[in-house]
Amino acid sequence: MKISKCVFPVAGLGTRFLPVTKELAKEMLPLVNRPIISYGVEEAIASGCGEIIMITGRAKRSLENYFDRSFELEELLKARGKMELYEEMIKISNMAEILFIRQREPLGLGHAVLCAEPVCKNEYFAVALPDDVFVNPDEPVLSQLIKVHEKMGGSVIALEEVAPENVSRYGIVKSQFEIEPGLHKIIDMTEKPKLEDAPSNLAIMGRYVLSPTVFEILKDQQAGAGGEIQLTDAIKTLCPREPVWGVVYNGRRFDCGTQKGWLAANVKLAMDDPELKEVILKIVASRS
Ligand code: UTP
């Protein structure tokens, strides 16, 4: 069956961006003039997922507003003859069917994914963590995963080879074999291991295609690393029961959940725009 649903867990507190995230949803931080979340949603749509499920928390109202109509603004833009901007605003609110589900307590990513069960029920579904932004990939990363699911069946996770000093920041997988370059059969994984305990340097990034069996697993799962209900632990339990594939994706990722990654993504996008590029180059040249 085609993958049509993509779950966006966005209920996290965004502590790495405090104090701005005290009031502003991390996913609404701008990458030049568009919020981080819009990149993930556009990627999901381009990958064939027209049904978006956002798992939100108390401080995330702005996400609902962003994807909703804004009649006052639309009328004002029309009255002022700013038709291009008007069309753009309409396009955002018509982008996809978006359903919002509240995660009442931020108990972890695994728990957030479990909140999507009433909607995804018995079908395979995609998960996208919006912090991971892929700027202009040749093919959307989610689409690369969905293609593997369509060919091989089972669940699929996005992998990236990381430097040794970064291994302890991620979920790290153990590959049983590489069936073709960059496509691994996964037999085990561990969340944020010490370098000496890590089974590889293949790190799990924020795109998944998951079997509905993970819901059953998550229901009985205890809190893991950091006292949170971890998605990695659930996929680890899934591994001996059903096939789990790992794809080393093509594309450049920016971790916009960190200040450095967010800044780098902004610089990259600005450098791709002739006018903004001039601004950056001037600042760099003057070193001030
Ligand atoms: P992170 O580990 O990045 O946590 O969550 P965070 O709260 O967003 O940010 P920091 O670490 O405090 O700065 C990974 C993803 O899981 C979601 C987050 O919104 C993010 O997309 N998440 C995490 C939830 O939806 N609910 C949770 O309980 C925890």
Side-chain angles (χ1 to χ4, degrees):
M1 212 163 109
K2 252 183 88 51
I3 307 274
S4 61
K5 296 185 170 73
C6 184
V7 177
F8 284 80
V10 290
L13 301 175
T15 54
R16 285 168 292 173
F17 266 101
L18 281 170
V20 69
T21 43
K22 187 176 169 203
E23 187 51 35
L24 185 71
K26 173 174 69 170
E27 299 76 15
M28 288 304 293
L29 290 175
L31 292 177
V32 186
N33 66 341
R34 284 161 58 210
I36 289 173
I37 188 71
S38 68
Y39 287 82
V41 170
E42 280 169 31
E43 180 189 333
I45 293 164
S47 304
C49 300
E51 294 168 74
I52 307 287
I53 299 117
M54 289 204 190
I55 312 300
T56 67
R58 289 186 66 77
K60 306 284 174 154
R61 262 285 156 79
S62 51
L63 287 165
E64 293 184 44
N65 291 341
Y66 180 74
F67 290 103
D68 200 357
R69 296 285 300 267
S70 172
F71 291 105
E72 231 178 48
L73 175 64
E74 288 163 19
E75 288 309 310
L76 211 76
L77 290 171
K78 242 197 304 190
R80 292 184 182 174
K82 298 186 184 248
M83 295 314 285
E84 217 172 289
L85 278 175
Y86 168 78
E87 299 294 345
E88 201 182 325
M89 296 308 109
I90 298 283
K91 210 170 131 196
I92 292 169
S93 47
N94 287 342
M95 216 183 245
E97 286 296 322
I98 306 186
L99 192 73
F100 294 90
I101 297 177
R102 281 274 180 110
Q103 183 191 21
R104 295 213 180 100
E105 272 183 275
L107 297 177
L109 173 59
H111 180 260
V113 169
L114 181 56
C115 294
E117 194 209 7
V119 184
C120 298
K121 287 192 189 104
N122 300 320
E123 42 180 301
Y124 275 84
F125 60 100
V127 175
L129 308 189
D131 282 4
D132 282 336
V133 173
F134 302 94
V135 174
N136 304 327
D138 293 334
E139 183 186 4
V141 171
L142 200 51
S143 167
Q144 296 174 38
L145 268 62
I146 289 173
K147 275 192 183 155
V148 171
H149 166 76
E150 284 168 352
K151 189 170 152 200
M152 312 293 292
S155 300
V156 189
I157 54 184
L159 299 177
E160 186 180 300
E161 285 182 34
V162 296
E165 64 270 24
N166 290 329
V167 155
S168 61
R169 290 178 49 205
Y170 295 101
I172 302 288
V173 300
K174 182 173 183 183
S175 166
Q176 186 181 16
F177 53 80
E178 198 174 4
I179 191 163
E180 59 185 63
L183 179 55
H184 295 263
K185 174 86 177 11
I186 306 302
I187 46 167
D188 200 6
M189 58 191 62
T190 166
E191 186 60 36
K192 300 185 174 67
K194 286 187 192 147
L195 180 58
E196 56 271 29
D197 301 329
S200 72
N201 69 336
L202 292 171
I204 305 170
M205 297 303 162
R207 298 291 183 275
Y208 311 75
V209 169
L210 294 176
S211 153
T213 307
V214 292
F215 293 132
E216 298 314 313
I217 295 169
L218 281 165
K219 277 178 199 164
D220 295 328
Q221 193 177 292
Q222 301 300 311
E228 296 195 341
I229 297 176
Q230 298 284 357
L231 184 61
T232 305
D233 293 343
I235 305 173
K236 179 187 167 86
T237 308
L238 184 68
C239 278
R241 291 166 58 174
E242 293 179 12
V244 177
W245 302 98
V247 182
V248 181
Y249 61 82
N250 288 315
R252 180 163 177 204
R253 181 183 65 96
F254 291 90
D255 180 359
C256 294
T258 69
Q259 295 183 28
K260 283 182 190 169
W262 172 77
L263 197 59
N266 270 296
V267 172
K268 162 76 177 126
L269 288 166
M271 290 296 283
D272 289 346
D273 176 299
E275 258 180 59
L276 298 177
K277 181 177 177 175
E278 250 179 64
V279 178
I280 302 262
L281 292 180
K282 257 189 206 158
I283 291 176
V284 173
S286 70
R287 292 175 189 273
S288 61

